[in-house]
mmCIF file with all atom_site columns, all heavy atoms in Angstrom:
data_model
loop_
_atom_site.group_PDB
_atom_site.id
_atom_site.type_symbol
_atom_site.label_atom_id
_atom_site.label_alt_id
_atom_site.label_comp_id
_atom_site.label_asym_id
_atom_site.label_entity_id
_atom_site.label_seq_id
_atom_site.pdbx_PDB_ins_code
_atom_site.Cartn_x
_atom_site.Cartn_y
_atom_site.Cartn_z
_atom_site.occupancy
_atom_site.B_iso_or_equiv
_atom_site.pdbx_formal_charge
_atom_site.auth_seq_id
_atom_site.auth_comp_id
_atom_site.auth_asym_id
_atom_site.auth_atom_id
_atom_site.pdbx_PDB_model_num
ATOM 1   N N   . GLN A 1 28 ? 4.672  -25.551 14.134 1.00 0.00 ? 49 GLN A N   1
ATOM 2   C CA  . GLN A 1 28 ? 5.495  -24.687 13.295 1.00 0.00 ? 49 GLN A CA  1
ATOM 3   C C   . GLN A 1 28 ? 5.244  -24.942 11.819 1.00 0.00 ? 49 GLN A C   1
ATOM 4   O O   . GLN A 1 28 ? 4.893  -26.045 11.411 1.00 0.00 ? 49 GLN A O   1
ATOM 5   C CB  . GLN A 1 28 ? 6.981  -24.849 13.615 1.00 0.00 ? 49 GLN A CB  1
ATOM 6   C CG  . GLN A 1 28 ? 7.552  -26.208 13.323 1.00 0.00 ? 49 GLN A CG  1
ATOM 7   C CD  . GLN A 1 28 ? 8.940  -26.373 13.899 1.00 0.00 ? 49 GLN A CD  1
ATOM 8   O OE1 . GLN A 1 28 ? 9.230  -25.930 15.003 1.00 0.00 ? 49 GLN A OE1 1
ATOM 9   N NE2 . GLN A 1 28 ? 9.804  -27.036 13.169 1.00 0.00 ? 49 GLN A NE2 1
ATOM 10  N N   . GLY A 1 29 ? 5.425  -23.866 11.055 1.00 0.00 ? 50 GLY A N   1
ATOM 11  C CA  . GLY A 1 29 ? 5.276  -23.935 9.607  1.00 0.00 ? 50 GLY A CA  1
ATOM 12  C C   . GLY A 1 29 ? 6.453  -23.244 8.949  1.00 0.00 ? 50 GLY A C   1
ATOM 13  O O   . GLY A 1 29 ? 7.234  -22.536 9.610  1.00 0.00 ? 50 GLY A O   1
ATOM 14  N N   . TYR A 1 30 ? 6.563  -23.436 7.648  1.00 0.00 ? 51 TYR A N   1
ATOM 15  C CA  . TYR A 1 30 ? 7.709  -22.911 6.900  1.00 0.00 ? 51 TYR A CA  1
ATOM 16  C C   . TYR A 1 30 ? 7.249  -22.017 5.761  1.00 0.00 ? 51 TYR A C   1
ATOM 17  O O   . TYR A 1 30 ? 6.494  -22.444 4.890  1.00 0.00 ? 51 TYR A O   1
ATOM 18  C CB  . TYR A 1 30 ? 8.555  -24.067 6.358  1.00 0.00 ? 51 TYR A CB  1
ATOM 19  C CG  . TYR A 1 30 ? 9.256  -24.801 7.467  1.00 0.00 ? 51 TYR A CG  1
ATOM 20  C CD1 . TYR A 1 30 ? 8.610  -25.796 8.181  1.00 0.00 ? 51 TYR A CD1 1
ATOM 21  C CD2 . TYR A 1 30 ? 10.541 -24.444 7.850  1.00 0.00 ? 51 TYR A CD2 1
ATOM 22  C CE1 . TYR A 1 30 ? 9.228  -26.439 9.238  1.00 0.00 ? 51 TYR A CE1 1
ATOM 23  C CE2 . TYR A 1 30 ? 11.170 -25.078 8.900  1.00 0.00 ? 51 TYR A CE2 1
ATOM 24  C CZ  . TYR A 1 30 ? 10.506 -26.076 9.594  1.00 0.00 ? 51 TYR A CZ  1
ATOM 25  O OH  . TYR A 1 30 ? 11.129 -26.694 10.636 1.00 0.00 ? 51 TYR A OH  1
ATOM 26  N N   . ILE A 1 31 ? 7.727  -20.781 5.795  1.00 0.00 ? 52 ILE A N   1
ATOM 27  C CA  . ILE A 1 31 ? 7.474  -19.846 4.696  1.00 0.00 ? 52 ILE A CA  1
ATOM 28  C C   . ILE A 1 31 ? 8.406  -20.194 3.546  1.00 0.00 ? 52 ILE A C   1
ATOM 29  O O   . ILE A 1 31 ? 8.030  -20.140 2.386  1.00 0.00 ? 52 ILE A O   1
ATOM 30  C CB  . ILE A 1 31 ? 7.669  -18.399 5.172  1.00 0.00 ? 52 ILE A CB  1
ATOM 31  C CG1 . ILE A 1 31 ? 6.548  -18.051 6.152  1.00 0.00 ? 52 ILE A CG1 1
ATOM 32  C CG2 . ILE A 1 31 ? 7.693  -17.438 3.998  1.00 0.00 ? 52 ILE A CG2 1
ATOM 33  C CD1 . ILE A 1 31 ? 6.686  -16.696 6.803  1.00 0.00 ? 52 ILE A CD1 1
ATOM 34  N N   . CYS A 1 32 ? 9.621  -20.592 3.878  1.00 0.00 ? 53 CYS A N   1
ATOM 35  C CA  . CYS A 1 32 ? 10.620 -21.001 2.892  1.00 0.00 ? 53 CYS A CA  1
ATOM 36  C C   . CYS A 1 32 ? 11.394 -22.180 3.470  1.00 0.00 ? 53 CYS A C   1
ATOM 37  O O   . CYS A 1 32 ? 11.822 -22.130 4.620  1.00 0.00 ? 53 CYS A O   1
ATOM 38  C CB  . CYS A 1 32 ? 11.573 -19.842 2.606  1.00 0.00 ? 53 CYS A CB  1
ATOM 39  S SG  . CYS A 1 32 ? 12.997 -20.271 1.588  1.00 0.00 ? 53 CYS A SG  1
ATOM 40  N N   . SER A 1 33 ? 11.551 -23.231 2.679  1.00 0.00 ? 54 SER A N   1
ATOM 41  C CA  . SER A 1 33 ? 12.350 -24.366 3.153  1.00 0.00 ? 54 SER A CA  1
ATOM 42  C C   . SER A 1 33 ? 13.162 -24.944 2.006  1.00 0.00 ? 54 SER A C   1
ATOM 43  O O   . SER A 1 33 ? 13.182 -26.129 1.768  1.00 0.00 ? 54 SER A O   1
ATOM 44  C CB  . SER A 1 33 ? 11.459 -25.444 3.791  1.00 0.00 ? 54 SER A CB  1
ATOM 45  O OG  . SER A 1 33 ? 10.498 -25.905 2.878  1.00 0.00 ? 54 SER A OG  1
ATOM 46  N N   . GLU A 1 34 ? 13.824 -24.048 1.298  1.00 0.00 ? 55 GLU A N   1
ATOM 47  C CA  . GLU A 1 34 ? 14.688 -24.464 0.203  1.00 0.00 ? 55 GLU A CA  1
ATOM 48  C C   . GLU A 1 34 ? 16.026 -24.907 0.771  1.00 0.00 ? 55 GLU A C   1
ATOM 49  O O   . GLU A 1 34 ? 16.415 -24.512 1.865  1.00 0.00 ? 55 GLU A O   1
ATOM 50  C CB  . GLU A 1 34 ? 14.898 -23.306 -0.769 1.00 0.00 ? 55 GLU A CB  1
ATOM 51  C CG  . GLU A 1 34 ? 13.609 -22.848 -1.436 1.00 0.00 ? 55 GLU A CG  1
ATOM 52  C CD  . GLU A 1 34 ? 13.829 -21.644 -2.322 1.00 0.00 ? 55 GLU A CD  1
ATOM 53  O OE1 . GLU A 1 34 ? 14.995 -21.338 -2.653 1.00 0.00 ? 55 GLU A OE1 1
ATOM 54  O OE2 . GLU A 1 34 ? 12.829 -21.009 -2.686 1.00 0.00 ? 55 GLU A OE2 1
ATOM 55  N N   . ARG A 1 35 ? 16.728 -25.733 0.001  1.00 0.00 ? 56 ARG A N   1
ATOM 56  C CA  . ARG A 1 35 ? 18.048 -26.183 0.446  1.00 0.00 ? 56 ARG A CA  1
ATOM 57  C C   . ARG A 1 35 ? 18.941 -24.960 0.690  1.00 0.00 ? 56 ARG A C   1
ATOM 58  O O   . ARG A 1 35 ? 19.064 -24.092 -0.149 1.00 0.00 ? 56 ARG A O   1
ATOM 59  C CB  . ARG A 1 35 ? 18.656 -27.093 -0.619 1.00 0.00 ? 56 ARG A CB  1
ATOM 60  C CG  . ARG A 1 35 ? 19.890 -27.799 -0.134 1.00 0.00 ? 56 ARG A CG  1
ATOM 61  C CD  . ARG A 1 35 ? 20.393 -28.778 -1.189 1.00 0.00 ? 56 ARG A CD  1
ATOM 62  N NE  . ARG A 1 35 ? 21.393 -29.621 -0.603 1.00 0.00 ? 56 ARG A NE  1
ATOM 63  C CZ  . ARG A 1 35 ? 21.206 -30.877 -0.271 1.00 0.00 ? 56 ARG A CZ  1
ATOM 64  N NH1 . ARG A 1 35 ? 20.051 -31.444 -0.500 1.00 0.00 ? 56 ARG A NH1 1
ATOM 65  N NH2 . ARG A 1 35 ? 22.164 -31.584 0.273  1.00 0.00 ? 56 ARG A NH2 1
ATOM 66  N N   . GLY A 1 36 ? 19.511 -24.911 1.852  1.00 0.00 ? 57 GLY A N   1
ATOM 67  C CA  . GLY A 1 36 ? 20.429 -23.822 2.159  1.00 0.00 ? 57 GLY A CA  1
ATOM 68  C C   . GLY A 1 36 ? 19.818 -22.691 2.961  1.00 0.00 ? 57 GLY A C   1
ATOM 69  O O   . GLY A 1 36 ? 20.539 -21.844 3.483  1.00 0.00 ? 57 GLY A O   1
ATOM 70  N N   . ARG A 1 37 ? 18.479 -22.649 3.072  1.00 0.00 ? 58 ARG A N   1
ATOM 71  C CA  . ARG A 1 37 ? 17.866 -21.606 3.884  1.00 0.00 ? 58 ARG A CA  1
ATOM 72  C C   . ARG A 1 37 ? 16.429 -21.980 4.235  1.00 0.00 ? 58 ARG A C   1
ATOM 73  O O   . ARG A 1 37 ? 15.712 -22.557 3.427  1.00 0.00 ? 58 ARG A O   1
ATOM 74  C CB  . ARG A 1 37 ? 17.910 -20.261 3.185  1.00 0.00 ? 58 ARG A CB  1
ATOM 75  C CG  . ARG A 1 37 ? 17.131 -20.215 1.895  1.00 0.00 ? 58 ARG A CG  1
ATOM 76  C CD  . ARG A 1 37 ? 17.274 -18.827 1.249  1.00 0.00 ? 58 ARG A CD  1
ATOM 77  N NE  . ARG A 1 37 ? 16.718 -18.837 -0.081 1.00 0.00 ? 58 ARG A NE  1
ATOM 78  C CZ  . ARG A 1 37 ? 17.397 -19.116 -1.183 1.00 0.00 ? 58 ARG A CZ  1
ATOM 79  N NH1 . ARG A 1 37 ? 18.667 -19.419 -1.103 1.00 0.00 ? 58 ARG A NH1 1
ATOM 80  N NH2 . ARG A 1 37 ? 16.811 -19.081 -2.358 1.00 0.00 ? 58 ARG A NH2 1
ATOM 81  N N   . THR A 1 38 ? 16.062 -21.651 5.458  1.00 0.00 ? 59 THR A N   1
ATOM 82  C CA  . THR A 1 38 ? 14.680 -21.864 5.883  1.00 0.00 ? 59 THR A CA  1
ATOM 83  C C   . THR A 1 38 ? 14.211 -20.647 6.673  1.00 0.00 ? 59 THR A C   1
ATOM 84  O O   . THR A 1 38 ? 15.002 -19.994 7.367  1.00 0.00 ? 59 THR A O   1
ATOM 85  C CB  . THR A 1 38 ? 14.511 -23.122 6.773  1.00 0.00 ? 59 THR A CB  1
ATOM 86  O OG1 . THR A 1 38 ? 15.320 -22.989 7.930  1.00 0.00 ? 59 THR A OG1 1
ATOM 87  C CG2 . THR A 1 38 ? 14.871 -24.388 6.039  1.00 0.00 ? 59 THR A CG2 1
ATOM 88  N N   . VAL A 1 39 ? 12.932 -20.364 6.533  1.00 0.00 ? 60 VAL A N   1
ATOM 89  C CA  . VAL A 1 39 ? 12.271 -19.338 7.329  1.00 0.00 ? 60 VAL A CA  1
ATOM 90  C C   . VAL A 1 39 ? 11.088 -20.025 7.992  1.00 0.00 ? 60 VAL A C   1
ATOM 91  O O   . VAL A 1 39 ? 10.195 -20.521 7.310  1.00 0.00 ? 60 VAL A O   1
ATOM 92  C CB  . VAL A 1 39 ? 11.802 -18.145 6.475  1.00 0.00 ? 60 VAL A CB  1
ATOM 93  C CG1 . VAL A 1 39 ? 11.095 -17.111 7.350  1.00 0.00 ? 60 VAL A CG1 1
ATOM 94  C CG2 . VAL A 1 39 ? 12.976 -17.516 5.735  1.00 0.00 ? 60 VAL A CG2 1
ATOM 95  N N   . ARG A 1 40 ? 11.121 -20.068 9.318  1.00 0.00 ? 61 ARG A N   1
ATOM 96  C CA  . ARG A 1 40 ? 10.149 -20.836 10.092 1.00 0.00 ? 61 ARG A CA  1
ATOM 97  C C   . ARG A 1 40 ? 9.357  -19.920 11.013 1.00 0.00 ? 61 ARG A C   1
ATOM 98  O O   . ARG A 1 40 ? 9.908  -18.994 11.600 1.00 0.00 ? 61 ARG A O   1
ATOM 99  C CB  . ARG A 1 40 ? 10.908 -21.872 10.920 1.00 0.00 ? 61 ARG A CB  1
ATOM 100 C CG  . ARG A 1 40 ? 10.052 -22.658 11.895 1.00 0.00 ? 61 ARG A CG  1
ATOM 101 C CD  . ARG A 1 40 ? 10.904 -23.565 12.748 1.00 0.00 ? 61 ARG A CD  1
ATOM 102 N NE  . ARG A 1 40 ? 11.618 -22.812 13.776 1.00 0.00 ? 61 ARG A NE  1
ATOM 103 C CZ  . ARG A 1 40 ? 12.702 -23.244 14.400 1.00 0.00 ? 61 ARG A CZ  1
ATOM 104 N NH1 . ARG A 1 40 ? 13.239 -24.415 14.113 1.00 0.00 ? 61 ARG A NH1 1
ATOM 105 N NH2 . ARG A 1 40 ? 13.276 -22.515 15.328 1.00 0.00 ? 61 ARG A NH2 1
ATOM 106 N N   . ILE A 1 41 ? 8.076  -20.238 11.148 1.00 0.00 ? 62 ILE A N   1
ATOM 107 C CA  . ILE A 1 41 ? 7.214  -19.603 12.135 1.00 0.00 ? 62 ILE A CA  1
ATOM 108 C C   . ILE A 1 41 ? 6.896  -20.669 13.172 1.00 0.00 ? 62 ILE A C   1
ATOM 109 O O   . ILE A 1 41 ? 6.457  -21.762 12.827 1.00 0.00 ? 62 ILE A O   1
ATOM 110 C CB  . ILE A 1 41 ? 5.904  -19.080 11.504 1.00 0.00 ? 62 ILE A CB  1
ATOM 111 C CG1 . ILE A 1 41 ? 6.198  -18.131 10.344 1.00 0.00 ? 62 ILE A CG1 1
ATOM 112 C CG2 . ILE A 1 41 ? 5.024  -18.431 12.570 1.00 0.00 ? 62 ILE A CG2 1
ATOM 113 C CD1 . ILE A 1 41 ? 7.016  -16.905 10.696 1.00 0.00 ? 62 ILE A CD1 1
#
Side-chain angles (χ1 to χ4, degrees):
Q49 64 191 40
Y51 291 84
I52 291 175
C53 172
S54 58
E55 297 176 15
R56 191 175 192 105
R58 63 182 171 269
T59 59
V60 179
R61 174 185 75 200
I62 304 301

